[in-house]
Amino acid sequence: MDDLAARVAAAMWAEDTASAGLGMRLVAVGEGTARLEMPVREDMVNGHGIAHGGFVFCLADSAFAFACNSRNQVTVAQACDIVFVAPAHRGDLLVAEARERTRFGRNAIYDITVTRDDEVIAEFRGRSRQLSGTILSEETHES
C-alpha cells in the first residue's frame, strides 16, 4: 500500500462504522485507487433471493471514498451512478476495485468495478469534489 494513502485510509477506517458494520475489509489502497471486499450475508438478501442493490452500491461507494481521499484532501461524492450487471448471492465475496479516471480542478471521476471471482456484478461511476481540509493533520502527514 502507498504510505500516505495507507495512513489516510487507516484514519478514515477508524471512523467508518458503516463499512465495518457491513463486513467490508480494506484490501489495498494507493494514490487514486482502492480495493475493498464484502461478503454477502444472509441479512443482505432481498425478496428475490439476491443481494440487495443498496449493499452492492455501498461497497462501491466505500471503495470510491477511500480512493478519492487517498491524497489526504477531504473529498466527497458529488454524484454517482451504478449499473447492475449480474446478481450476487448470499455467501458471495464481492470485490470493489476503484480507480481514478481523471482529475480537473477540485473535481475528479472514478470508476469502480464490483466483481465476484472474475464476473462483473456492477459498474459504478463516481464524481468527487475536493473540499478544504485534510484527513491527517500536518504533523501526522509529515511523519
Side-chain angles (χ1 to χ4, degrees):
M1 286 192 204
D2 173 271
D3 184 52
L4 176 60
R7 288 186 291 124
V8 168
M12 288 177 59
W13 189 262
E15 301 295 322
D16 190 349
T17 56
S19 296
L22 290 174
M24 292 181 202
R25 188 171 75 89
L26 181 62
V27 176
V29 66
E31 187 174 302
T33 66
R35 183 177 339 119
L36 273 74
E37 296 177 343
M38 181 183 75
V40 178
R41 302 183 315 218
E42 185 69 35
D43 62 345
M44 296 175 169
V45 176
N46 67 19
H48 296 295
I50 59 176
H52 190 289
F55 292 112
V56 176
F57 187 97
C58 283
L59 174 63
D61 189 45
S62 290
F64 172 44
F66 284 97
C68 68
N69 282 279
S70 63
R71 292 181 180 89
N72 195 34
Q73 296 295 312
V74 174
T75 306
V76 296
Q78 172 174 172
C80 45
D81 58 76
I82 193 166
V83 176
F84 298 105
V85 177
H89 306 278
R90 69 178 56 87
D92 287 349
L93 180 64
L94 302 181
V95 178
E97 294 262 359
R99 70 184 185 288
E100 184 179 84
R101 301 296 296 160
T102 188
R103 287 192 309 159
F104 49 103
R106 296 185 325 166
N107 304 290
I109 298 172
Y110 289 79
D111 285 335
I112 298 85
T113 301
V114 178
T115 59
R116 171 192 51 232
D117 299 320
D118 290 330
E119 183 181 8
V120 174
I121 299 300
E123 291 287 352
F124 174 109
R125 174 157 278 189
R127 271 95 48 214
S128 67
R129 178 72 173 178
Q130 187 179 31
L131 305 178
S132 61
T134 60
I135 290 94
L136 303 174
S137 67
E138 286 304 313
E139 302 81 50
T140 308
H141 177 59
E142 295 300 319
S143 59

